Amino acid sequence: LLAGVFSWTGVNERTFIAVKPDGVQRRRVGEIVQRFEKKGFKLVGFKLMQASKELLREHYWEHRNRPFYNKLVSYMSSGPVVAMVWQGLDVVKTGRKMMGQTNPTNSLPGTFRGDFCVIMGKNVIHGSDSVESAQREISLWFKESELCEREGCSAKWIYE
Ligand code: GDP
Ligand code: MG
């Protein structure tokens, strides 16, 4: 497991972000990446992929008994997703703030879901809800060799 070899705390905290199929089809990838970059987070993993239903069922395991589970898995496999890992101080919590609420109706303007979409069943983006979820999701979606850890050249201008 990735968790064993990498310290996920402080400036090395990581989160799993995915642009969902509607976000990819509606060409929101660039702006989502841009906002994470502008904020000061570091991109350490990125791939465009068609996710299998098996992977998606595992990813959304916590919702397996919810009435929307099958629909959710179909939605998420309806086209390619952009799977990403972003790193930085408090990136999990901040990523969730940047996303907005699960229901776009409750999401403020300035958030991805507040700006880009209207319904829960097509809400454009996924982000891990805790550091523990992030660890689980990153090891589910990425091989260790696909993550590019490196010294960020602007770190001294972002952190003390
Ligand atoms: P998130 O962490 O904000 O993405 O929300 P959840 O983990 O609670 O739910 C996962 C995803 O399932 C959401 O992003 C929605 O796409 C979808 N979802 C959640 N609740 C509902 C619902 O009541 N109806 C439908 N159609 N989709 C839902
Ligand atoms: Mg969730």
Side-chain angles (χ1 to χ4, degrees):
L1 267 181
L2 286 170
V5 294
F6 191 82
S7 167
W8 299 74
T9 56
V11 301
N12 292 325
E13 186 173 302
R14 288 175 171 182
T15 193
F16 175 69
I17 299 290
V19 184
K20 295 181 173 182
D22 51 326
V24 174
Q25 296 295 349
R26 296 179 58 209
R27 297 160 162 76
R28 296 305 191 270
V29 175
E31 191 169 340
I32 289 170
V33 169
Q34 186 178 46
R35 286 201 210 168
F36 276 91
E37 283 191 325
K38 278 183 176 172
K39 172 71 178 169
F41 293 132
K42 183 162 67 174
L43 183 63
V44 297
F46 184 101
K47 59 183 172 184
L48 176 70
M49 61 181 279
Q50 174 64 53
S52 68
K53 293 203 173 185
E54 189 187 16
L55 171 64
L56 293 164
R57 277 194 282 264
E58 175 73 26
H59 173 76
Y60 282 124
W61 180 243
E62 63 168 324
H63 298 313
R64 65 193 173 283
N65 295 322
R66 306 285 286 279
F68 58 83
Y69 182 62
N70 285 331
K71 209 171 115 185
L72 175 59
V73 170
S74 294
Y75 158 45
M76 289 295 291
S77 60
S78 63
V81 300
V82 171
M84 299 182 277
V85 178
W86 288 91
Q87 184 171 317
L89 188 67
D90 294 325
V91 69
V92 171
K93 194 202 249 182
T94 306
R96 293 287 294 190
K97 276 195 191 155
M98 290 164 70
M99 271 166 52
Q101 304 293 307
T102 306
N103 188 338
T105 306
N106 302 326
S107 302
L108 290 173
T111 64
F112 298 124
R113 288 168 173 174
D115 288 348
F116 296 163
C117 56
V118 178
I119 62 166
M120 263 196 294
K122 289 207 170 65
N123 61 359
V124 174
I125 185 168
H126 167 83
S128 308
D129 63 7
S130 66
V131 172
E132 294 69 35
S133 302
Q135 291 174 350
R136 186 184 73 84
E137 292 170 4
I138 291 167
S139 18
L140 186 63
W141 287 81
F142 284 90
K143 293 179 203 143
E144 204 186 330
S145 59
E146 292 176 313
L147 300 177
C148 302
E149 178 50 28
R150 66 199 181 282
E151 192 75 41
C153 64
S154 54
K156 70 169 180 171
W157 300 106
I158 296 171
Y159 298 108
E160 288 180 324

